[in-house]
Amino acid sequence: MIKNRKYDLVVVGGGIIGTFCAYHALKKGKSVLLLEKDSQPHEASIRNFGQIIPSGQSLDTWFQLGRKSLKIYKELQEESAISLTKNGSWYIASDEQEMAVLEEMASQFQALDYASNVFSAEATLDKNPALNKEYVKGGLFLPEEASINPVLLVHQLREFLIKHLGLHYHPSCPVISVEKKRGIAMISTSKKQTFWGDHVILANGHDTQFLLPEHYPTTDLKICKLQMMRLVPQRIQFSANLLSGLSIRRYESFKSCPSYATLKTSDEQKVLQSKGIHILLKQAEDGSIILGDSHEYVSASDESPLGFEISAEINELILSEAKKIVTLDSWELDSNWIGHYLEAKQAEVYTKTIDQVIHIVNGIGGKGVTTSPGFTYEYIQQLYSI
Ligand SMILES: Cc1cc2nc3c(=O)[nH]c(=O)nc-3n(C[C@H](O)[C@H](O)[C@H](O)COP(=O)(O)OP(=O)(O)OC[C@H]3O[C@@H](n4cnc5c(N)ncnc54)[C@H](O)[C@@H]3O)c2cc1C
């Protein structure tokens, strides 16, 4: 192991933000060291649903960053072995108002030159045999959208960077302090190693209390706890990822549709929304179904009220709503997990530069898989244009 070496860029945190920052800097010919506290990254970037859905993002910057990300994922797939499946996404309307929102959304996507097709209830059912007739009032299909396998993606990308672009990587290497010294960044680890970088990017996820906590705002940043499950492999085949009426009500893009204001919410939907539940279904390569999810928020300054339990009540709410949407061969649970992410509510991401050389990049919230490749591309271009 090289001790005390100086790099153009040191990245702290081997999640999706940190790994893509490393990727774009390496592509610019920079020397990069990636430091990860665990033996394998296993936080949000590995626990997520794996959907790349620009269609759900606010229709300004983040929708475009999602599209840019799709392009980057596709390019990467051509040069590496990343697990990308271009299966598209379906939003399923459960009432006439949601259908009106989908139709308006499709017009906006057409104006933005983003492929989308509205289908009648009959055609939607025809294309998605798992869907229940009673639930479906129609659907919107986004053929460009894709999925990654979150358990593999970050590891595959990192291995590619090590092998082909010269990334230096130290796992099991918790960073305990970062400061500017002699005009550059000095990074110290709990193993008493010191590294130096012209720049350091802190992409350390939701644990904001350890590294430069004084540089995080006390308001605006939230931690979100999500609950997801995997159901045993099924014979029935999903051709695409399925998103529900509650997703139409939850995702930012749909709020720009005039009919969004006409959506009526039943008492049952209010109970689900109080736990941040919307239903997403994705079939993994082995035929199992990933089903989620819920969202519970607290201030980033104190995560403890979220608790560590997997809630049986939330599982039950997700399962009973999902059963209204699809019929599966089996609802047997294979596994169940929680994940956390940091979310900057106002700016949709939190960035701060300290002493010209230390850069916090964090709080991308629930859109990190969809937008990180594009967002970090822009960030790295900007960093090296100064
Ligand atoms: C259940 C769930 C479902 C989701 N589904 C989707 C989805 O379908 N589509 C989508 O776009 N987004 C989704 N997201 C959001 C997405 O996963 C996150 O936005 C993204 O993973 C955040 O990445 P990150 O790199 O900022 O954080 P993280 O993945 O948390 O990575 C931070 C890394 O920093 C490391 N670290 C922390 N402190 C230190 C230290 N001191 N020294 C060294 N290393 C350190 C951690 O170990 C970790 O590996 C989902 C999230 C969850 C939890």
Side-chain angles (χ1 to χ4, degrees):
M1 189 179 297
I2 304 157
K3 282 192 182 168
N4 299 327
R5 177 162 170 193
K6 179 181 156 288
Y7 293 83
D8 293 328
L9 176 66
V10 177
V11 179
V12 179
I16 198 160
I17 291 264
T19 311
F20 269 106
C21 281
Y23 171 64
H24 295 307
L26 288 162
K27 283 272 200 184
K28 287 183 91 64
K30 306 293 175 188
S31 60
V32 181
L33 169 68
L34 178 63
L35 300 172
E36 165 56 44
K37 72 173 164 52
D38 293 317
S39 59
Q40 290 268 359
H42 63 96
E43 300 286 350
S45 301
I46 280 75
R47 299 175 189 208
N48 64 69
F49 206 85
Q51 290 194 118
I52 308 162
I53 41 164
S55 60
Q57 311 308 318
S58 47
L59 283 187
D60 48 19
T61 322
W62 292 98
F63 170 70
Q64 295 301 350
L65 288 175
R67 290 182 78 172
K68 170 93 186 161
S69 299
L70 267 174
K71 196 163 166 274
I72 293 171
Y73 278 119
K74 285 173 193 165
E75 285 165 4
L76 247 176
Q77 194 182 33
E78 278 163 29
E79 56 180 341
S80 72
I82 67 155
S83 64
L84 183 76
T85 314
K86 196 188 142 194
N87 47 355
S89 25
W90 275 93
Y91 290 90
I92 311 298
S94 67
D95 63 30
E96 298 306 334
Q97 288 79 30
E98 287 172 0
M99 194 57 209
V101 172
L102 289 187
E103 277 160 1
E104 290 165 9
M105 200 68 246
S107 306
Q108 295 201 61
F109 286 144
Q110 270 151 29
L112 291 162
D113 200 22
Y114 191 56
S116 67
N117 301 301
V118 177
F119 288 91
S120 66
E122 204 184 1
T124 303
L125 285 159
D126 195 44
K127 290 180 184 300
N128 297 282
L131 285 172
N132 291 335
K133 193 165 179 260
E134 304 71 42
Y135 183 85
V136 179
K137 297 293 173 289
L140 173 67
F141 182 56
L142 290 310
E144 287 298 312
E145 304 203 333
S147 297
I148 51 102
N149 181 338
V151 178
L152 300 178
L153 176 87
V154 162
H155 308 305
Q156 290 173 331
L157 176 57
R158 189 185 61 241
E159 289 310 311
F160 171 75
L161 302 187
I162 293 169
K163 204 164 165 198
H164 298 284
L165 295 179
L167 174 70
H168 286 216
Y169 174 57
H170 294 185
S172 305
C173 204
V175 171
I176 53 169
S177 80
V178 177
E179 62 184 291
K180 186 175 179 181
K181 222 168 181 176
R182 299 181 215 147
I184 59 173
M186 184 178 90
I187 300 103
S188 309
T189 76
S190 63
K191 294 178 167 172
K192 304 200 185 319
Q193 297 153 296
T194 303
F195 298 101
W196 300 85
D198 286 333
H199 293 278
V200 58
I201 288 179
L202 304 184
N204 52 320
H206 73 278
D207 280 336
T208 55
Q209 69 272 44
F210 300 115
L211 283 177
L212 306 181
E214 68 278 18
H215 288 286
Y216 285 87
T218 48
T219 54
D220 188 44
L221 286 181
K222 302 246 181 255
I223 291 180
C224 182
K225 175 185 175 188
L226 298 89
Q227 195 162 308
M228 308 257 298
M229 63 185 91
R230 182 189 289 270
L231 307 174
V232 294
Q234 316 278 324
R235 280 189 308 277
I236 195 154
Q237 295 290 310
F238 281 32
S239 60
N241 296 345
L242 297 178
L243 297 101
S244 60
L246 285 167
S247 315
I248 298 166
R249 290 156 189 268
R250 183 173 173 87
Y251 282 168
E252 277 309 310
S253 53
F254 297 102
K255 295 177 184 163
S256 64
C257 298
S259 292
Y260 186 85
T262 69
L263 291 173
K264 306 238 176 345
T265 310
S266 69
D267 287 345
E268 223 172 315
Q269 286 170 327
K270 281 182 192 155
V271 172
L272 294 164
Q273 286 175 331
S274 72
K275 305 278 183 200
I277 292 172
H278 68 131
I279 303 301
L280 312 166
L281 294 132
K282 168 182 155 179
Q283 191 160 38
E285 293 88 339
D286 65 354
S288 62
I289 300 289
I290 317 290
L291 170 60
D293 52 8
S294 59
H295 299 76
E296 297 172 279
Y297 296 90
V298 293
S299 160
S301 56
D302 183 13
E303 192 177 329
S304 49
L306 287 173
F308 58 86
E309 307 90 354
I310 292 176
S311 155
E313 183 200 355
I314 289 179
N315 267 1
E316 202 36 58
L317 286 168
I318 291 176
L319 280 168
S320 64
E321 182 66 10
K323 284 176 186 173
K324 290 183 198 157
I325 301 171
V326 290
T327 299
L328 299 179
D329 304 322
S330 165
W331 291 91
E332 189 187 333
L333 198 64
D334 173 81
S335 57
N336 202 186
W337 66 95
I338 57 167
H340 296 94
Y341 56 68
L342 186 74
E343 179 162 319
K345 286 281 181 193
Q346 293 269 316
E348 298 203 42
V349 70
Y350 179 64
T351 59
K352 182 172 183 180
T353 293
I354 303 145
D355 295 336
Q356 295 95 46
V357 297
I358 302 167
H359 312 275
I360 296 175
V361 184
N362 209 334
I364 202 158
K367 58 187 178 306
V369 175
T370 302
T371 59
S372 288
F375 168 71
T376 53
Y377 173 82
E378 302 283 339
Y379 190 86
I380 294 293
Q381 299 311 309
Q382 213 181 348
L383 181 67
Y384 288 109
S385 69
I386 298 165

